[in-house]
Amino acid sequence: MLVSTLTRSNAEFNALLTEPSCCRKVHIQISGRQIIQTKLRKSCSCTTKRLKNVVMDFFPVLRWLPKYHCREYIWGDVMSGVVIGIILVPQAIAYSLLAGLKPIYSLYTSFFANIIYFLMGTSRHVSVGIFSLLSLMVGQVVDRELLLAGFDLNDDDDAISNSYEWNGNNSNVTAFNLTLGGLSAECGKDCYAIGVATALTFLAGFYQVLMGVFRLGFVSMYLSESVLDGFATGASLTILTAQVKYLIGIKIPRSQGHGILLTTWINIFRNISQANQCDVITSVVCIAVLVAAKELGDRYKQKLKIPLPTELVVIVVATLVSHYGKLNEVYASSVSGAIPTGFIPPQLPNFNMMHRVALDAVPLAIVGFAFTISLSEMFAKKYAYTVRANQEMFAIGFCNIIPSFFHCFATSAALAKTLVKSSTGCQTQVSSVISAVVVLLVLLFLAPLFYSLQKCVLACIIIVSLRGALRKFRDVPQRYHMNKVDTLVWCVTVFSSALISTEMGLLIGVLFSMLCIVVRTQRPRTALLGQIQSTAFYEDDWEYESLCPVPNAKIFRFEAPLYYANKDFFLKSLYRMTGLDPTLEAAKRKKNEKKQKEHLKEGNRGTIVKGSDQADTALHLVPKQVDFQTIIIDCSSVTFLDTAGIITLKEILKDYNELKITVLLACCNPSVIDSLKRGDYFGKDCKKMHELLFYSIHGAVQFARDRKLLASCLP
């Protein structure tokens, strides 16, 4: 039955297509104006039911919280919330080094982000909060603006302290009268830094909300897995480099612009003789303990119900040792300093600063929502529920906009904390509230206890947390074996992110990834096909053995859309694989015909030519015989044609027909057929369609054979 269907003649196939049971559908074309009017009418209608749905869609917590199964879910949510809260505290304090801000702002960010995502998020397992990559990107912008404002970037400068005073005492503030960025009032270094960060965060959140309003979530599709992995790995190298000075306790100037990684390492080696022995010993001990605990946790993670709170234990022990050993006073070890309790009164982001950081907020917004959406969809698929990508963009956007009024900086979902959250029994977003409560306790009561915590300990926590990203280098051989092009994209993104800058690395990675797609369509795979013995199927004779060549025919496959960028490659491949360039062959034949006419004229004039010479000349003038009369183009991989592609096929048809060679198309999809119809490839009213277009390769082969038999029977 299958073979009889495949070998059906083209006339039968076209007749089948004209039957009512298999005719093409007539699609009603609706004008863009009508579509806009319909959508506006639908969106502007205001009913109680619609208003309720809008509110509940915007705050998904109103849908799932009333259905919350307390007995079933509460233990897992509380356990995961407490664990994530314990992890958040040391990470928040540590990542403040990356952002160039005081630790208190990181704690604020973790608190508000968890509360807002609880209200607006649709993923049950995603952990939103401080993310190392975003902290690094924020820190680079903050450092740049501080330098432009004339501040010293020395992290241990205690003269310039926090201008937001909880107790109203402003005696320790070294103030600057600034007009740069719209800050005309007296403002210290920390005040200016958080002003830059909140302006940047507000804009990033605003961009993310706009993406949600205009349904621009498709932008994340251009951030392939290779680009995101490469960006994370390259940024991890920059993060590691930025923490080395804390590990060994040296003071070096912060590098700005491109090539930060190389410049920083040069400064480190120049000043390595100034290393603080206390910080070096502390760093070695902390890294050894953290790595050993992580390795044990990975090895026995199936037996451990909850991950070991190693970071918290290290911070507590290190703080006690630093406090009672007076490491800051005796050995000049750099410490975190005062972390006040309570909340700062909310303040509007500095809108006059926003024009300075408007471009910097674009990659921040894209990276934030790309990681959030990808993680949300990944865990939703794993645990068999659905998330709304557009709502996730709104959620992460408002996780940036609202906290920017409370002295917070950019946040997004983080893979490491999300994995911990899911592994500790998280059931719903209630775990985010529990994590926020843990952070709140630190903010209200425990923050001052971290005064003596050494910065080298925080740097150790950051570096050990980069293990997963840095281990990607071990996967390069496997990645290369799987896909060479994706590996090249990964490597380009890694090294551009590390050696140039994080933002440029992301841009270069995206552009290079798109370039690879273009190149792969410009120079796609081509093949000549042979017939599998005693079947109606055809495959690449380069890849498969024992294929039967089709007599008097060449079957050519082109595995890409045919458009302006690859039409020349299509023609060259076709001519090379068939061994015949119709334009050159036509020119040769015309030249031979001209020589034959000249030879005949010379013969008529009585020119004496020896018999052998005359025979040689006649033989030379006979055109080379072609070993095929039909070319079948397999269009199964041609997804679309543009104008250049249609013109190319029409020229091929014309050129080969002049040589008495028939060109047939097989396996075209409906959009390609429509393009050919609009380009008059089949002639007026598609009269030649049944002679040029075939449902299958075998149908085209059968048609060519039948036509040859009919031709041989003609008188």
Side-chain angles (χ1 to χ4, degrees):
M1 182 64 183
L2 178 61
V3 175
S4 63
T5 303
L6 290 171
T7 57
R8 181 184 296 150
S9 68
N10 204 48
E12 292 175 343
F13 169 64
N14 283 292
L16 182 63
L17 289 179
T18 58
E19 291 180 2
S21 61
C22 195
C23 62
R24 291 283 296 274
K25 292 181 178 179
V26 178
H27 297 282
I28 301 174
Q29 296 292 332
I30 303 176
S31 66
R33 183 179 178 182
Q34 290 176 323
I35 295 174
I36 294 173
Q37 287 177 347
T38 303
K39 288 187 175 182
L40 286 175
R41 194 180 300 113
K42 184 178 179 180
S43 59
C44 293
S45 61
C46 186
T47 62
T48 305
K49 183 178 179 181
R50 176 170 177 76
L51 184 61
K52 179 182 177 182
N53 287 334
V54 169
V55 173
M56 296 184 77
D57 285 342
F58 197 72
F59 296 102
V61 66
L62 298 177
R63 291 189 184 275
W64 62 263
L65 190 59
K67 303 175 184 178
Y68 187 80
H69 302 293
C70 189
R71 291 184 179 179
E72 183 180 352
Y73 295 159
I74 191 64
W75 173 247
D77 285 340
V78 170
M79 179 62 67
S80 64
V82 170
V83 172
I84 292 298
I86 292 172
I87 294 174
L88 269 176
V89 172
Q91 282 195 351
I93 298 173
Y95 289 164
S96 63
L97 298 180
L98 294 175
L101 301 168
K102 296 295 184 181
I104 190 67
Y105 302 128
S106 300
L107 294 171
Y108 288 157
T109 303
S110 299
F111 172 75
F112 285 106
N114 276 282
I115 294 295
I116 295 169
Y117 192 80
F118 162 75
L119 298 173
M120 301 187 65
T122 59
S123 174
R124 302 173 190 172
H125 297 87
V126 161
S127 177
V128 174
I130 299 294
F131 186 32
S132 58
L133 295 184
L134 296 189
S135 299
L136 174 68
M137 296 170 75
V138 170
Q140 290 175 341
V141 178
V142 168
D143 288 350
R144 184 194 69 203
E145 294 301 322
L146 285 175
L147 280 177
L148 291 175
F151 287 103
D152 183 7
L153 293 183
N154 187 353
D155 291 330
D156 293 326
D157 189 359
D158 295 327
I160 302 173
S161 61
N162 190 358
S163 66
Y164 296 111
E165 293 298 324
W166 284 260
N167 300 320
N169 184 6
N170 202 29
S171 60
N172 292 329
V173 178
T174 300
F176 291 80
N177 194 357
L178 299 172
T179 56
L180 186 62
L183 290 174
S184 58
E186 288 187 349
C187 186
K189 174 187 171 184
D190 185 50
C191 162
Y192 197 83
I194 191 61
V196 173
T198 54
L200 181 66
T201 300
F202 179 88
L203 273 181
F206 179 72
Y207 292 156
Q208 289 165 340
V209 170
L210 281 183
M211 289 177 185
V213 170
F214 293 104
R215 310 279 177 174
L216 298 180
F218 68 88
V219 175
S220 63
M221 293 188 296
Y222 293 99
L223 299 175
S224 65
E225 183 181 354
S226 299
V227 171
L228 287 176
D229 277 351
F231 173 69
T233 306
S236 297
L237 293 175
T238 305
I239 293 171
L240 185 149
T241 301
Q243 301 310 302
V244 172
K245 64 178 181 180
Y246 299 112
L247 290 181
I248 60 179
I250 61 174
K251 295 180 181 180
I252 59 173
R254 286 197 183 184
S255 303
Q256 287 294 311
H258 302 319
I260 295 175
L261 185 139
L262 296 177
T263 307
T264 304
W265 278 108
I266 291 172
N267 289 329
I268 288 171
F269 286 115
R270 283 178 178 174
N271 297 274
I272 198 166
S273 60
Q274 303 173 7
N276 187 302
Q277 294 182 0
C278 178
D279 286 341
V280 172
I281 294 172
T282 304
S283 299
V284 171
V285 173
C286 288
I287 289 178
V289 172
L290 288 169
V291 170
K294 292 291 184 183
E295 292 295 331
L296 288 173
D298 292 342
R299 182 173 298 182
Y300 300 105
K301 61 182 178 181
Q302 301 296 336
K303 298 180 180 180
L304 295 173
K305 293 184 178 180
I306 60 173
L308 298 173
T310 314
E311 292 92 344
L312 186 64
V313 173
V314 168
I315 280 184
V316 171
V317 173
T319 303
L320 292 174
V321 172
S322 176
H323 175 73
Y324 289 105
K326 297 183 180 181
L327 301 184
N328 177 246
E329 294 83 355
V330 177
Y331 301 102
S333 179
S334 179
V335 296
S336 298
I339 304 177
T341 57
F343 288 90
I344 309 173
Q347 183 175 343
L348 286 174
N350 185 10
F351 292 99
N352 293 324
M353 173 68 72
M354 290 182 184
H355 72 280
R356 300 180 59 83
V357 297
L359 289 178
D360 300 297
V362 174
L364 199 68
I366 293 175
V367 171
F369 88 75
F371 274 99
T372 301
I373 290 177
S374 60
L375 284 177
S376 299
E377 292 179 344
M378 181 175 71
F379 281 89
K381 183 178 180 181
K382 180 178 179 180
Y383 290 97
Y385 63 92
T386 58
V387 294
R388 290 185 285 126
N390 204 54
Q391 180 61 27
E392 285 295 298
M393 281 198 291
F394 282 126
I396 199 63
F398 282 102
C399 280
N400 287 321
I401 290 177
I402 297 174
S404 67
F405 290 84
F406 296 90
H407 315 286
C408 304
F409 55 92
T411 59
S412 75
L415 176 60
K417 291 192 288 290
T418 302
L419 289 171
V420 172
K421 194 173 182 179
S422 64
S423 65
T424 51
C426 174
Q427 298 293 329
T428 66
Q429 294 94 315
V430 170
S431 61
S432 298
V433 178
I434 306 299
S435 300
V437 170
V438 175
V439 177
L440 181 63
L441 292 175
V442 175
L443 279 169
L444 295 179
F445 306 108
L446 305 177
L449 300 178
F450 297 101
Y451 177 90
S452 299
L453 177 61
Q454 294 168 272
K455 287 186 177 181
C456 64
V457 176
L458 300 177
C460 291
I461 293 174
I462 293 174
I463 290 174
V464 173
S465 70
L466 301 176
R467 286 188 320 142
L470 297 177
R471 279 179 173 175
K472 298 286 184 181
F473 285 104
R474 296 192 312 184
D475 301 333
V476 171
Q478 181 182 358
R479 188 188 291 268
Y480 182 80
H481 178 72
M482 187 181 301
N483 192 299
K484 296 179 178 61
V485 175
D486 284 348
T487 307
L488 184 60
V489 170
W490 184 86
C491 291
V492 168
T493 309
V494 167
F495 292 111
S496 57
S497 299
L499 300 178
I500 303 176
S501 69
T502 50
E503 294 84 356
M504 286 299 297
L506 180 64
L507 178 61
I508 291 172
V510 172
L511 294 178
F512 186 76
S513 177
M514 297 174 67
L515 179 64
C516 287
I517 295 173
V518 173
V519 170
R520 291 168 81 173
T521 59
Q522 277 187 307
R523 302 185 67 83
R525 194 172 184 276
T526 57
L528 280 182
L529 308 186
Q531 186 177 14
I532 301 176
Q533 293 182 5
S534 304
T535 69
F537 302 102
Y538 299 78
E539 265 304 339
D540 184 358
D541 60 2
W542 178 263
E543 297 291 341
Y544 295 90
E545 298 179 350
S546 303
L547 296 180
C548 301
V550 179
N552 301 317
K554 299 285 186 181
I555 306 173
F556 177 72
R557 175 182 287 168
F558 189 72
E559 299 181 359
L562 180 57
Y563 66 113
Y564 69 94
N566 63 11
K567 63 181 181 63
D568 292 333
F569 181 77
F570 174 84
L571 291 173
K572 289 178 182 178
S573 300
L574 178 63
Y575 298 161
R576 174 174 53 83
M577 303 191 83
T578 57
L580 178 65
D581 185 335
T583 55
L584 294 179
E585 184 66 21
K588 288 180 181 178
R589 292 188 180 187
K590 288 180 181 179
K591 186 177 181 180
N592 289 336
E593 289 176 0
K594 184 178 180 181
K595 287 184 177 180
Q596 284 180 349
K597 289 179 181 179
E598 292 176 354
H599 177 70
L600 290 174
K601 286 181 181 180
E602 290 176 359
N604 293 333
R605 289 173 185 169
T607 304
I608 300 174
V609 181
K610 292 183 180 180
S612 60
D613 293 339
Q614 190 173 10
D616 292 339
T617 304
L619 182 63
H620 176 71
L621 294 176
V622 174
K624 179 184 177 181
Q625 295 297 321
V626 180
D627 61 347
F628 60 93
Q629 286 80 42
T630 304
I631 293 177
I632 301 171
I633 301 177
D634 177 12
C635 299
S636 58
S637 299
V638 179
T639 53
F640 68 86
L641 297 172
D642 68 350
T643 304
I646 297 170
I647 293 173
T648 300
L649 290 178
K650 292 174 72 174
E651 289 176 352
I652 289 172
L653 181 66
K654 176 177 174 294
D655 292 342
Y656 278 110
N657 283 345
E658 289 178 356
L659 302 179
K660 308 300 182 182
I661 296 175
T662 304
V663 178
L664 307 177
L665 303 182
C667 306
C668 296
N669 63 52
S671 65
V672 170
I673 295 174
D674 290 340
S675 298
L676 293 171
K677 286 180 179 179
R678 289 192 295 268
D680 292 331
Y681 181 84
F682 305 113
K684 292 184 178 180
D685 301 325
C686 299
K687 293 180 180 179
K688 297 182 180 180
M689 185 173 177
H690 68 284
E691 297 179 357
L692 300 175
L693 182 67
F694 296 84
Y695 178 70
S696 65
I697 298 175
H698 196 65
V701 172
Q702 291 294 98
F703 176 81
R705 287 175 178 170
D706 293 344
R707 192 181 64 169
K708 183 183 178 183
L709 290 174
L710 291 172
S712 62
C713 296
L714 292 175

